[in-house]
Amino acid sequence: MKLALAEIRRRRGRWGSIIGAVGFIVFLVLVLAALSDGLFIGTAGALQTGDSDALVYSSDGRRSLVRSELPLSDLAEVAAVDGVADVGALGVLLATAAAGGDAFDIAVMGHIPGHAGEPTQLVEGRRPAPDESFVAVADVSLEDQGISLGDSVTLTDSSQPVEIVGLVENAQYLLAPTVWVPLGTWQALRFELRPETIGRGAVAQAFPILLDPDATVASVGAAIDEALGTTETVSKDEAILSLPGVDQQQSTFTAIIAVSFVVVGIVIALFFALITLEKRGQFAILKAIGSSNRFLLQGVLVQAIIATVAGYVVGWGLSRLLALVLPSSVPVEFLTGTALSLFAATVVMGAVGALFSFRRIIRIDPAAALGGEA
Amino acid sequence: MNAMTVNDVTKVYGEGHTRVRALCDASLELRDNEFLALLGPSGSGKTTLLSVIGGLLAPTSGTVTIGSTLLTDLSKKDQTRFRANRVGFVFQGFNLVPFLTARENMTVMASISDAGRDEIGQRADQLLDELGLSDRSDNLPEQLSGGERQRVAIGRALVTDPDLILVDEPTASLDTELGTQVVKLLASEIKSRGKAGIMVTHDLRMVEYTDRTVKILDGELQPTEKAPINE
């Protein structure tokens, strides 16, 4: 251990470059992960941070909030199913709004305040009361359009402005800012913007549900679908993966990040292969004077872990610097959970990379130390 | 009891056409407090013999006993441990760990052998003093002269207080004057501690600092008593 540490301390140039190399890969991975997380939250935040365990769709809706439609009269029946702790309603209206002359996309989310499905991360202001009309909590991303707490938003082709009374975080839908209005207001806006829906009566597009602590999505979902006969109930995670593009985004980023980790492993493996080759003589001498393989391998492992931990710190620092200068329009999210799992993965890959040189070190013959061969 | 006994050791490399007999029925006894020179031209088998004695190379047949331990009977792992605690090595060239200071090159033995850190530390300071390296103890090998480096190597060999010191061509990288100084110092360190030592060399001039010389040629030992040993 002391020997391994002394080598890093006294060979700073060499170890600095490996730490730098690992650092840059970690930086790349962290930025990719932040983009992935940012894109994910931007796309699925409305469901992800929504207060629910599962969502009930109409069976012909193919798990799409836009295609699915359920009569509100079914709510009571869902609430009566064993294992359902609470049920809410969710409706989506994709619209445009204008602020200062520029039109932008906006998602109007109808919900029942105080029930399942409402956005959880309130940061400012208050929530609408269930019986209020034309008031909303908005996702903070709406501020990028110059709209703040207390302002009103008017949808294109709508005559009635919606007042923003609260702000929530991480509640975007398909990369658009959201305004969360009581379901009645959503219904009114929908009739106004989509007159063809008037004939269908009072509907929602999905019922978010919360389960009792000991209930499972599978069993409660099956019970709901059997009781109503016209629904498909899926867990929140499945619902998110069914959003357009989410599954593809996730698998693309996961693949890129996985490949980057393989690169971390290869970089460490090559580095140790190289210095092992160079230190053959030294290893032979150390073995001759009585070092066990265990002692030498421990040292290599400690060095690999130090190099990857230090590399991670460098990469993390760089990513924080980048986060400071990135414009808010770039959807990046630096999440602590992601950072921690990437840290663990980096160190593990470093250790795995170092393992490749173990066989080579074990095979070094201490007898090479004599006769001037070393 | 002898410090070391080599009994009928034969070492054969390769098979068939490439078969080379590096050592042929070599037998050798080393008494306590005896410093012996193993003299021979290159290719004579002297390094092979030293490797077998140090447990670095398994003989094809024959045994090596150090003190009361039958070294050739130990497992590879136990031989490694035995070397760490009971044998000191001084190599050809200098072979110090390049990123450790003179003192650290000695105290690293605390991590390798079973000796305690304090014990090794005390002995290292004493050896640095005796070897005239006190003011060089914090220098890295690259900041030391060839003679100083070889003195550090001597210190590393002695710091664990081993029973047997094995020395491989200690003057190979030094000029005659420095080489002589180093061998004289080595001899006095070994003698003053009452240790036994074997030095492999092809340099006749170094022989006068040892108690006895054994010549080796084509893998066969040819004992030539230099002086009677006082017992």
Side-chain angles (χ1 to χ4, degrees), chain B:
Chain B
M1 192 175 60
N2 285 327
M4 193 259 342
T5 307
V6 173
N7 198 10
D8 276 341
V9 163
T10 296
K11 177 68 188 177
V12 178
Y13 290 107
E15 281 174 16
H17 287 306
T18 58
R19 194 176 155 93
V20 177
R21 195 175 271 252
L23 282 178
C24 196
D25 292 330
S27 290
L28 180 66
E29 291 186 356
L30 185 70
R31 283 164 233 191
D32 286 331
N33 203 16
E34 185 180 23
F35 188 30
L36 178 140
L38 195 56
L39 187 68
S42 63
S44 60
K46 58 188 193 299
T47 298
T48 303
L49 181 57
L50 198 71
S51 304
V52 171
I53 293 170
L56 299 174
L57 200 61
T60 310
S61 65
T63 59
V64 175
T65 310
I66 296 177
S68 56
T69 308
L70 187 56
L71 184 67
T72 37
D73 252 16
L74 296 180
S75 68
K76 263 198 134 53
K77 212 173 167 174
D78 287 338
Q79 285 183 348
T80 303
R81 204 179 161 85
F82 188 85
R83 285 201 302 278
N85 291 310
R86 307 276 299 277
V87 183
F89 283 94
V90 180
F91 301 99
Q92 204 176 113
F94 313 115
N95 291 315
L96 301 175
V97 179
F99 48 81
L100 294 183
T101 65
R103 187 173 189 278
E104 287 168 344
N105 260 292
M106 298 184 192
T107 55
V108 72
M109 291 310 295
S111 313
I112 296 172
S113 75
D114 296 333
R117 202 160 284 281
D118 293 344
E119 187 187 340
I120 293 277
Q122 274 171 21
R123 242 185 256 133
D125 289 331
Q126 191 195 339
L127 280 161
L128 282 166
D129 187 40
E130 288 176 18
L131 295 165
L133 291 167
S134 291
D135 54 344
R136 310 294 272 157
S137 66
D138 292 331
N139 288 68
L140 292 173
E142 64 190 21
Q143 299 163 315
L144 300 174
S145 71
E148 286 170 332
R149 282 183 231 178
Q150 197 56 301
R151 280 185 270 156
V152 175
I154 293 169
R156 179 177 65 188
L158 291 166
V159 78
T160 52
D161 196 26
D163 305 325
L164 178 65
I165 319 288
L166 300 180
V167 187
D168 183 28
E169 299 272 13
T171 60
S173 313
L174 302 174
D175 63 34
T176 312
E177 196 190 328
L178 268 177
T180 310
Q181 272 180 22
V182 163
V183 172
K184 265 164 104 171
L185 195 58
L186 183 63
S188 87
E189 288 292 333
I190 290 176
K191 301 302 282 183
S192 70
R193 283 175 164 69
K195 306 290 177 194
I198 300 177
M199 174 172 70
V200 158
T201 183
H202 65 272
D203 190 345
L204 256 173
R205 287 165 300 186
M206 301 305 158
V207 164
E208 66 174 288
Y209 306 103
T210 60
D211 301 316
R212 181 162 64 112
T213 303
V214 174
K215 286 189 179 166
I216 182 167
L217 196 65
D218 296 332
E220 299 195 26
L221 292 177
Q222 302 165 328
T224 48
E225 297 276 339
K226 179 191 164 205
I229 309 283
N230 300 324
E231 291 191 50

Side-chain angles (χ1 to χ4, degrees), chain A residues 60-222:
Chain A
D60 58 358
R62 305 214 311 272
R63 303 178 181 186
S64 158
L65 270 185
V66 180
R67 280 188 295 264
S68 166
E69 204 170 85
L70 293 160
L72 281 182
S73 50
D74 285 351
L75 264 182
E77 211 171 334
V78 173
V81 171
D82 243 14
V84 175
D86 186 32
V87 57
L90 206 56
V92 179
L93 180 60
L94 297 174
T96 55
D102 286 336
F104 59 91
D105 290 326
I106 188 167
V108 181
M109 311 294 291
H111 73 302
I112 305 176
H115 284 281
E118 68 176 347
T120 47
Q121 301 181 2
L122 187 74
V123 288
E124 217 183 331
R126 63 173 182 88
R127 295 174 186 281
D131 53 353
E132 269 183 303
S133 294
F134 292 94
V135 293
V137 286
D139 185 76
V140 288
S141 60
L142 199 62
E143 289 186 321
D144 294 343
Q145 307 297 340
I147 295 164
S148 356
L149 192 66
D151 291 351
S152 288
V153 189
T154 306
L155 302 181
T156 313
D157 299 327
S158 165
S159 53
Q160 287 165 288
V162 175
E163 189 196 349
I164 310 298
V165 296
L167 291 173
V168 288
E169 271 183 335
N170 301 325
Q172 284 171 281
Y173 181 72
L174 301 184
L175 300 175
T178 48
V179 285
W180 295 74
V181 295
L183 200 65
T185 303
W186 173 77
Q187 197 79 74
L189 286 167
R190 195 177 187 224
F191 288 160
E192 198 176 1
L193 268 65
R194 308 261 194 281
E196 72 274 13
T197 62
I198 293 174
R200 297 188 204 155
V203 297
Q205 291 178 302
F207 298 149
I209 56 174
L210 285 167
L211 301 178
D212 286 334
D214 53 349
T216 66
V217 172
S219 63
V220 175

